[in-house]
Amino acid sequence: MERTLAIIKPDAVAARSTGSILQRAEAAGFSIVAMRLVWLSKTDAEGFYAVHRERPFFSDLTTFMSSGPSVVLALAAPDAIKRWRALMGATDPAQAEEGCLRREFGRSIENNATHGSDGSETAAFELNYFFRGLELG
Ligand code: CMP
């Protein structure tokens, strides 16, 4: 079993797509290990996305991520990191394949509905950013 950090972003929560996305995650074989609704501050979002600090989209990204509540999740499955990224599809919903979450629920590269850790080190940092050890069981 592997764990990944997933986020249902503010655009998808505002669109009331949380339930549909959770259903898709469970149907694809992911177990929900921990879950919380959080309204990130700008500083929280900057800390979470610190690796992107030098990118031109950093300010817009962190403003968007602090624009409303998100649902943060620890998901478990064999090969969870790769499989959750495959289920989300490409970062840009327009490039994501039919059947992928970002294609279905995302509207733009910024409003792309979901996030997932991109590797095991990132997953460890991101899971720890939102959840205490006890909550992860
Ligand atoms: P996410 O997987 O959450 O990781 C970083 C986010 O930056 C990404 O999804 C996008 O929503 C956002 N982003 C905004 N603009 C860009 C861009 N030009 N290239 C890549 N990511 C971008």
Side-chain angles (χ1 to χ4, degrees):
M1 277 293 180
E2 184 178 62
R3 287 172 180 180
T4 191
L5 189 281
I7 303 180
I8 303 173
K9 294 188 180 186
D11 57 327
V13 173
R16 302 196 182 101
S17 299
T18 300
S20 302
I21 292 172
L22 292 176
Q23 196 167 39
R24 293 282 297 278
E26 291 192 317
F30 293 93
S31 297
I32 299 170
V33 175
M35 177 166 74
R36 196 162 70 242
L37 186 88
V38 286
W39 191 324
L40 299 180
S41 67
K42 176 96 168 154
T43 307
D44 294 334
E46 287 170 353
F48 180 75
Y49 281 117
V51 291
H52 295 306
R53 192 169 288 283
E54 304 305 325
R55 304 282 200 102
F57 55 82
F58 183 71
S59 177
D60 282 352
L61 170 64
T62 53
T63 296
F64 162 63
M65 289 300 291
S66 55
S67 67
S70 297
V71 174
V72 294
L73 296 152
L75 296 177
D79 213 10
I81 295 171
K82 211 163 77 185
R83 286 181 49 215
W84 177 248
R85 291 179 70 78
L87 183 60
M88 291 193 300
T91 306
D92 183 352
Q95 309 294 324
E97 285 172 25
E98 199 68 51
C100 291
L101 296 175
R102 284 167 165 167
R103 173 73 172 262
E104 190 172 337
F105 299 103
R107 295 286 169 271
S108 67
I109 196 163
E110 183 172 278
N111 289 217
N112 65 351
T114 56
H115 168 83
S117 310
D118 66 4
S120 53
E121 278 181 25
T122 322
F125 167 80
E126 293 183 352
L127 289 163
N128 187 57
Y129 198 81
F130 288 114
F131 299 110
R132 289 149 41 95
L134 276 176
E135 294 176 286
L136 292 171

PDB file of all heavy atoms in Angstrom, residues 9 48-49 52 55 57 61 64-65 85 88 91 102 108-112 114-116, ligand 1:
ATOM      1  N   LYS A   9      -9.879  20.869  -5.130  1.00  0.00           N
ATOM      2  CA  LYS A   9      -9.544  22.301  -5.051  1.00  0.00           C
ATOM      3  C   LYS A   9     -10.804  23.167  -4.919  1.00  0.00           C
ATOM      4  O   LYS A   9     -11.926  22.697  -5.164  1.00  0.00           O
ATOM      5  CB  LYS A   9      -8.747  22.689  -6.302  1.00  0.00           C
ATOM      6  CG  LYS A   9      -7.379  22.015  -6.382  1.00  0.00           C
ATOM      7  CD  LYS A   9      -6.565  22.606  -7.536  1.00  0.00           C
ATOM      8  CE  LYS A   9      -5.199  21.965  -7.637  1.00  0.00           C
ATOM      9  NZ  LYS A   9      -4.353  22.629  -8.658  1.00  0.00           N
ATOM     10  N   PHE A  48       2.515  25.276   1.068  1.00  0.00           N
ATOM     11  CA  PHE A  48       2.237  24.000   0.409  1.00  0.00           C
ATOM     12  C   PHE A  48       2.910  23.932  -0.966  1.00  0.00           C
ATOM     13  O   PHE A  48       3.466  22.915  -1.353  1.00  0.00           O
ATOM     14  CB  PHE A  48       0.724  23.815   0.260  1.00  0.00           C
ATOM     15  CG  PHE A  48       0.355  22.530  -0.398  1.00  0.00           C
ATOM     16  CD1 PHE A  48       0.449  21.334   0.298  1.00  0.00           C
ATOM     17  CD2 PHE A  48      -0.057  22.492  -1.714  1.00  0.00           C
ATOM     18  CE1 PHE A  48       0.138  20.122  -0.309  1.00  0.00           C
ATOM     19  CE2 PHE A  48      -0.373  21.292  -2.333  1.00  0.00           C
ATOM     20  CZ  PHE A  48      -0.278  20.101  -1.621  1.00  0.00           C
ATOM     21  N   TYR A  49       2.835  25.038  -1.711  1.00  0.00           N
ATOM     22  CA  TYR A  49       3.374  25.071  -3.076  1.00  0.00           C
ATOM     23  C   TYR A  49       4.766  25.721  -3.141  1.00  0.00           C
ATOM     24  O   TYR A  49       5.134  26.250  -4.193  1.00  0.00           O
ATOM     25  CB  TYR A  49       2.407  25.822  -3.998  1.00  0.00           C
ATOM     26  CG  TYR A  49       1.216  25.012  -4.461  1.00  0.00           C
ATOM     27  CD1 TYR A  49      -0.087  25.378  -4.127  1.00  0.00           C
ATOM     28  CD2 TYR A  49       1.368  23.882  -5.276  1.00  0.00           C
ATOM     29  CE1 TYR A  49      -1.195  24.646  -4.572  1.00  0.00           C
ATOM     30  CE2 TYR A  49       0.279  23.151  -5.727  1.00  0.00           C
ATOM     31  CZ  TYR A  49      -0.996  23.530  -5.361  1.00  0.00           C
ATOM     32  OH  TYR A  49      -2.075  22.807  -5.820  1.00  0.00           O
ATOM     33  N   HIS A  52       7.104  25.750  -6.077  1.00  0.00           N
ATOM     34  CA  HIS A  52       6.752  26.539  -7.272  1.00  0.00           C
ATOM     35  C   HIS A  52       6.982  28.038  -7.079  1.00  0.00           C
ATOM     36  O   HIS A  52       6.563  28.842  -7.908  1.00  0.00           O
ATOM     37  CB  HIS A  52       5.272  26.312  -7.642  1.00  0.00           C
ATOM     38  CG  HIS A  52       4.951  24.913  -8.056  1.00  0.00           C
ATOM     39  ND1 HIS A  52       5.631  24.255  -9.061  1.00  0.00           N
ATOM     40  CD2 HIS A  52       4.023  24.030  -7.605  1.00  0.00           C
ATOM     41  CE1 HIS A  52       5.132  23.036  -9.210  1.00  0.00           C
ATOM     42  NE2 HIS A  52       4.164  22.867  -8.331  1.00  0.00           N
ATOM     43  N   ARG A  55       7.960  30.228  -9.947  1.00  0.00           N
ATOM     44  CA  ARG A  55       7.188  30.140 -11.189  1.00  0.00           C
ATOM     45  C   ARG A  55       6.322  31.384 -11.377  1.00  0.00           C
ATOM     46  O   ARG A  55       5.818  31.954 -10.405  1.00  0.00           O
ATOM     47  CB  ARG A  55       6.261  28.918 -11.175  1.00  0.00           C
ATOM     48  CG  ARG A  55       6.944  27.595 -10.927  1.00  0.00           C
ATOM     49  CD  ARG A  55       7.641  27.082 -12.176  1.00  0.00           C
ATOM     50  NE  ARG A  55       7.855  25.649 -12.024  1.00  0.00           N
ATOM     51  CZ  ARG A  55       7.097  24.734 -12.614  1.00  0.00           C
ATOM     52  NH1 ARG A  55       6.112  25.077 -13.405  1.00  0.00           N
ATOM     53  NH2 ARG A  55       7.358  23.452 -12.423  1.00  0.00           N
ATOM     54  N   PHE A  57       3.354  31.634 -12.273  1.00  0.00           N
ATOM     55  CA  PHE A  57       1.954  31.461 -11.879  1.00  0.00           C
ATOM     56  C   PHE A  57       1.771  31.327 -10.362  1.00  0.00           C
ATOM     57  O   PHE A  57       0.668  31.129  -9.881  1.00  0.00           O
ATOM     58  CB  PHE A  57       1.326  30.247 -12.581  1.00  0.00           C
ATOM     59  CG  PHE A  57       2.075  28.940 -12.385  1.00  0.00           C
ATOM     60  CD1 PHE A  57       1.905  28.181 -11.237  1.00  0.00           C
ATOM     61  CD2 PHE A  57       2.935  28.469 -13.364  1.00  0.00           C
ATOM     62  CE1 PHE A  57       2.580  26.988 -11.050  1.00  0.00           C
ATOM     63  CE2 PHE A  57       3.622  27.265 -13.192  1.00  0.00           C
ATOM     64  CZ  PHE A  57       3.440  26.527 -12.028  1.00  0.00           C
ATOM     65  N   LEU A  61      -1.754  31.138  -8.421  1.00  0.00           N
ATOM     66  CA  LEU A  61      -2.059  29.801  -7.892  1.00  0.00           C
ATOM     67  C   LEU A  61      -2.415  29.873  -6.407  1.00  0.00           C
ATOM     68  O   LEU A  61      -3.419  29.296  -5.963  1.00  0.00           O
ATOM     69  CB  LEU A  61      -0.844  28.885  -8.101  1.00  0.00           C
ATOM     70  CG  LEU A  61      -0.875  27.515  -7.409  1.00  0.00           C
ATOM     71  CD1 LEU A  61      -2.013  26.653  -7.954  1.00  0.00           C
ATOM     72  CD2 LEU A  61       0.469  26.788  -7.587  1.00  0.00           C
ATOM     73  N   PHE A  64      -5.747  31.643  -5.841  1.00  0.00           N
ATOM     74  CA  PHE A  64      -6.848  30.715  -6.156  1.00  0.00           C
ATOM     75  C   PHE A  64      -7.029  29.676  -5.044  1.00  0.00           C
ATOM     76  O   PHE A  64      -8.152  29.418  -4.592  1.00  0.00           O
ATOM     77  CB  PHE A  64      -6.589  30.025  -7.499  1.00  0.00           C
ATOM     78  CG  PHE A  64      -7.410  28.784  -7.707  1.00  0.00           C
ATOM     79  CD1 PHE A  64      -8.799  28.852  -7.762  1.00  0.00           C
ATOM     80  CD2 PHE A  64      -6.810  27.543  -7.829  1.00  0.00           C
ATOM     81  CE1 PHE A  64      -9.567  27.698  -7.926  1.00  0.00           C
ATOM     82  CE2 PHE A  64      -7.560  26.395  -7.996  1.00  0.00           C
ATOM     83  CZ  PHE A  64      -8.946  26.467  -8.046  1.00  0.00           C
ATOM     84  N   MET A  65      -5.930  29.097  -4.583  1.00  0.00           N
ATOM     85  CA  MET A  65      -6.032  28.022  -3.588  1.00  0.00           C
ATOM     86  C   MET A  65      -6.517  28.533  -2.224  1.00  0.00           C
ATOM     87  O   MET A  65      -6.956  27.730  -1.393  1.00  0.00           O
ATOM     88  CB  MET A  65      -4.692  27.294  -3.441  1.00  0.00           C
ATOM     89  CG  MET A  65      -4.321  26.445  -4.639  1.00  0.00           C
ATOM     90  SD  MET A  65      -5.514  25.118  -5.024  1.00  0.00           S
ATOM     91  CE  MET A  65      -5.253  24.019  -3.616  1.00  0.00           C
ATOM     92  N   ARG A  85      -2.484  10.220 -10.065  1.00  0.00           N
ATOM     93  CA  ARG A  85      -2.135  11.182 -11.117  1.00  0.00           C
ATOM     94  C   ARG A  85      -2.750  10.757 -12.452  1.00  0.00           C
ATOM     95  O   ARG A  85      -3.187  11.593 -13.246  1.00  0.00           O
ATOM     96  CB  ARG A  85      -0.610  11.340 -11.222  1.00  0.00           C
ATOM     97  CG  ARG A  85      -0.035  12.046  -9.998  1.00  0.00           C
ATOM     98  CD  ARG A  85       1.461  12.193 -10.066  1.00  0.00           C
ATOM     99  NE  ARG A  85       1.890  13.140 -11.084  1.00  0.00           N
ATOM    100  CZ  ARG A  85       1.839  14.456 -10.946  1.00  0.00           C
ATOM    101  NH1 ARG A  85       1.379  15.004  -9.826  1.00  0.00           N
ATOM    102  NH2 ARG A  85       2.256  15.236 -11.912  1.00  0.00           N
ATOM    103  N   MET A  88      -6.415  11.669 -12.362  1.00  0.00           N
ATOM    104  CA  MET A  88      -6.624  13.121 -12.551  1.00  0.00           C
ATOM    105  C   MET A  88      -6.447  13.521 -14.003  1.00  0.00           C
ATOM    106  O   MET A  88      -7.166  14.380 -14.507  1.00  0.00           O
ATOM    107  CB  MET A  88      -5.613  13.919 -11.709  1.00  0.00           C
ATOM    108  CG  MET A  88      -5.815  13.855 -10.221  1.00  0.00           C
ATOM    109  SD  MET A  88      -4.820  15.121  -9.389  1.00  0.00           S
ATOM    110  CE  MET A  88      -3.166  14.669  -9.870  1.00  0.00           C
ATOM    111  N   THR A  91      -2.334  18.190 -16.250  1.00  0.00           N
ATOM    112  CA  THR A  91      -2.561  19.413 -15.457  1.00  0.00           C
ATOM    113  C   THR A  91      -3.575  20.337 -16.122  1.00  0.00           C
ATOM    114  O   THR A  91      -4.438  20.905 -15.470  1.00  0.00           O
ATOM    115  CB  THR A  91      -1.213  20.162 -15.273  1.00  0.00           C
ATOM    116  OG1 THR A  91      -0.270  19.266 -14.720  1.00  0.00           O
ATOM    117  CG2 THR A  91      -1.367  21.365 -14.365  1.00  0.00           C
ATOM    118  N   ARG A 102      -9.735  15.740 -14.204  1.00  0.00           N
ATOM    119  CA  ARG A 102      -9.539  17.152 -14.585  1.00  0.00           C
ATOM    120  C   ARG A 102     -10.286  17.477 -15.877  1.00  0.00           C
ATOM    121  O   ARG A 102     -10.724  18.613 -16.072  1.00  0.00           O
ATOM    122  CB  ARG A 102      -8.048  17.465 -14.705  1.00  0.00           C
ATOM    123  CG  ARG A 102      -7.391  17.611 -13.343  1.00  0.00           C
ATOM    124  CD  ARG A 102      -5.903  17.595 -13.454  1.00  0.00           C
ATOM    125  NE  ARG A 102      -5.233  18.062 -12.245  1.00  0.00           N
ATOM    126  CZ  ARG A 102      -3.937  17.903 -12.027  1.00  0.00           C
ATOM    127  NH1 ARG A 102      -3.183  17.279 -12.923  1.00  0.00           N
ATOM    128  NH2 ARG A 102      -3.399  18.351 -10.916  1.00  0.00           N
ATOM    129  N   SER A 108      -9.743  25.020 -16.332  1.00  0.00           N
ATOM    130  CA  SER A 108      -8.536  25.660 -16.882  1.00  0.00           C
ATOM    131  C   SER A 108      -7.327  25.098 -16.149  1.00  0.00           C
ATOM    132  O   SER A 108      -7.488  24.381 -15.154  1.00  0.00           O
ATOM    133  CB  SER A 108      -8.603  27.177 -16.675  1.00  0.00           C
ATOM    134  OG  SER A 108      -8.519  27.470 -15.286  1.00  0.00           O
ATOM    135  N   ILE A 109      -6.127  25.469 -16.614  1.00  0.00           N
ATOM    136  CA  ILE A 109      -4.911  24.940 -15.975  1.00  0.00           C
ATOM    137  C   ILE A 109      -4.839  25.371 -14.505  1.00  0.00           C
ATOM    138  O   ILE A 109      -4.279  24.660 -13.679  1.00  0.00           O
ATOM    139  CB  ILE A 109      -3.645  25.346 -16.758  1.00  0.00           C
ATOM    140  CG1 ILE A 109      -2.451  24.481 -16.343  1.00  0.00           C
ATOM    141  CG2 ILE A 109      -3.360  26.824 -16.612  1.00  0.00           C
ATOM    142  CD1 ILE A 109      -1.300  24.512 -17.303  1.00  0.00           C
ATOM    143  N   GLU A 110      -5.430  26.512 -14.181  1.00  0.00           N
ATOM    144  CA  GLU A 110      -5.442  26.953 -12.782  1.00  0.00           C
ATOM    145  C   GLU A 110      -6.623  26.318 -12.035  1.00  0.00           C
ATOM    146  O   GLU A 110      -6.459  25.742 -10.968  1.00  0.00           O
ATOM    147  CB  GLU A 110      -5.530  28.467 -12.704  1.00  0.00           C
ATOM    148  CG  GLU A 110      -5.477  28.969 -11.275  1.00  0.00           C
ATOM    149  CD  GLU A 110      -5.374  30.473 -11.222  1.00  0.00           C
ATOM    150  OE1 GLU A 110      -4.249  30.978 -11.372  1.00  0.00           O
ATOM    151  OE2 GLU A 110      -6.422  31.133 -11.075  1.00  0.00           O
ATOM    152  N   ASN A 111      -7.799  26.414 -12.617  1.00  0.00           N
ATOM    153  CA  ASN A 111      -9.001  25.821 -12.000  1.00  0.00           C
ATOM    154  C   ASN A 111      -9.113  24.380 -12.482  1.00  0.00           C
ATOM    155  O   ASN A 111     -10.004  24.038 -13.264  1.00  0.00           O
ATOM    156  CB  ASN A 111     -10.246  26.621 -12.385  1.00  0.00           C
ATOM    157  CG  ASN A 111     -10.325  27.987 -11.718  1.00  0.00           C
ATOM    158  OD1 ASN A 111     -11.394  28.457 -11.339  1.00  0.00           O
ATOM    159  ND2 ASN A 111      -9.182  28.640 -11.588  1.00  0.00           N
ATOM    160  N   ASN A 112      -8.195  23.528 -11.998  1.00  0.00           N
ATOM    161  CA  ASN A 112      -8.128  22.173 -12.552  1.00  0.00           C
ATOM    162  C   ASN A 112      -8.620  21.093 -11.573  1.00  0.00           C
ATOM    163  O   ASN A 112      -8.277  19.923 -11.706  1.00  0.00           O
ATOM    164  CB  ASN A 112      -6.723  21.868 -13.086  1.00  0.00           C
ATOM    165  CG  ASN A 112      -5.667  21.849 -12.009  1.00  0.00           C
ATOM    166  OD1 ASN A 112      -5.921  22.214 -10.876  1.00  0.00           O
ATOM    167  ND2 ASN A 112      -4.471  21.424 -12.361  1.00  0.00           N
ATOM    168  N   THR A 114      -8.391  19.233  -9.101  1.00  0.00           N
ATOM    169  CA  THR A 114      -7.727  18.300  -8.176  1.00  0.00           C
ATOM    170  C   THR A 114      -6.210  18.472  -8.192  1.00  0.00           C
ATOM    171  O   THR A 114      -5.635  18.958  -9.170  1.00  0.00           O
ATOM    172  CB  THR A 114      -8.034  16.831  -8.540  1.00  0.00           C
ATOM    173  OG1 THR A 114      -7.661  16.610  -9.890  1.00  0.00           O
ATOM    174  CG2 THR A 114      -9.507  16.491  -8.346  1.00  0.00           C
ATOM    175  N   HIS A 115      -5.605  18.029  -7.115  1.00  0.00           N
ATOM    176  CA  HIS A 115      -4.147  17.977  -6.994  1.00  0.00           C
ATOM    177  C   HIS A 115      -3.751  16.590  -6.523  1.00  0.00           C
ATOM    178  O   HIS A 115      -4.513  15.934  -5.812  1.00  0.00           O
ATOM    179  CB  HIS A 115      -3.654  19.015  -5.969  1.00  0.00           C
ATOM    180  CG  HIS A 115      -2.220  18.827  -5.573  1.00  0.00           C
ATOM    181  ND1 HIS A 115      -1.182  19.326  -6.324  1.00  0.00           N
ATOM    182  CD2 HIS A 115      -1.659  18.150  -4.530  1.00  0.00           C
ATOM    183  CE1 HIS A 115      -0.025  18.979  -5.746  1.00  0.00           C
ATOM    184  NE2 HIS A 115      -0.297  18.264  -4.666  1.00  0.00           N
ATOM    185  N   GLY A 116      -2.554  16.162  -6.888  1.00  0.00           N
ATOM    186  CA  GLY A 116      -1.989  14.931  -6.341  1.00  0.00           C
ATOM    187  C   GLY A 116      -0.482  15.047  -6.229  1.00  0.00           C
ATOM    188  O   GLY A 116       0.159  15.726  -7.049  1.00  0.00           O
TER     189      GLY A 116
HETATM  190  P1  CMP B   1      -1.157  21.159  -9.196  1.00  0.00           P
HETATM  191  O1  CMP B   1      -1.075  19.726  -9.552  1.00  0.00           O
HETATM  192  O2  CMP B   1      -1.953  21.535  -8.005  1.00  0.00           O
HETATM  193  O3  CMP B   1       0.333  21.733  -9.011  1.00  0.00           O
HETATM  194  C1  CMP B   1       0.687  23.075  -9.304  1.00  0.00           C
HETATM  195  C2  CMP B   1      -0.425  23.848  -9.930  1.00  0.00           C
HETATM  196  O4  CMP B   1      -0.088  25.054 -10.562  1.00  0.00           O
HETATM  197  C3  CMP B   1      -1.065  23.026 -11.022  1.00  0.00           C
HETATM  198  O5  CMP B   1      -1.789  21.948 -10.449  1.00  0.00           O
HETATM  199  C4  CMP B   1      -1.904  24.071 -11.746  1.00  0.00           C
HETATM  200  O6  CMP B   1      -3.225  24.160 -11.250  1.00  0.00           O
HETATM  201  C5  CMP B   1      -1.195  25.376 -11.414  1.00  0.00           C
HETATM  202  N1  CMP B   1      -0.752  26.089 -12.607  1.00  0.00           N
HETATM  203  C6  CMP B   1      -1.184  27.298 -12.968  1.00  0.00           C
HETATM  204  N2  CMP B   1      -0.572  27.687 -14.105  1.00  0.00           N
HETATM  205  C7  CMP B   1       0.254  26.697 -14.475  1.00  0.00           C
HETATM  206  C8  CMP B   1       1.149  26.500 -15.554  1.00  0.00           C
HETATM  207  N3  CMP B   1       1.310  27.414 -16.508  1.00  0.00           N
HETATM  208  N4  CMP B   1       1.823  25.345 -15.604  1.00  0.00           N
HETATM  209  C9  CMP B   1       1.677  24.399 -14.631  1.00  0.00           C
HETATM  210  N5  CMP B   1       0.846  24.544 -13.579  1.00  0.00           N
HETATM  211  C10 CMP B   1       0.146  25.674 -13.503  1.00  0.00           C
END
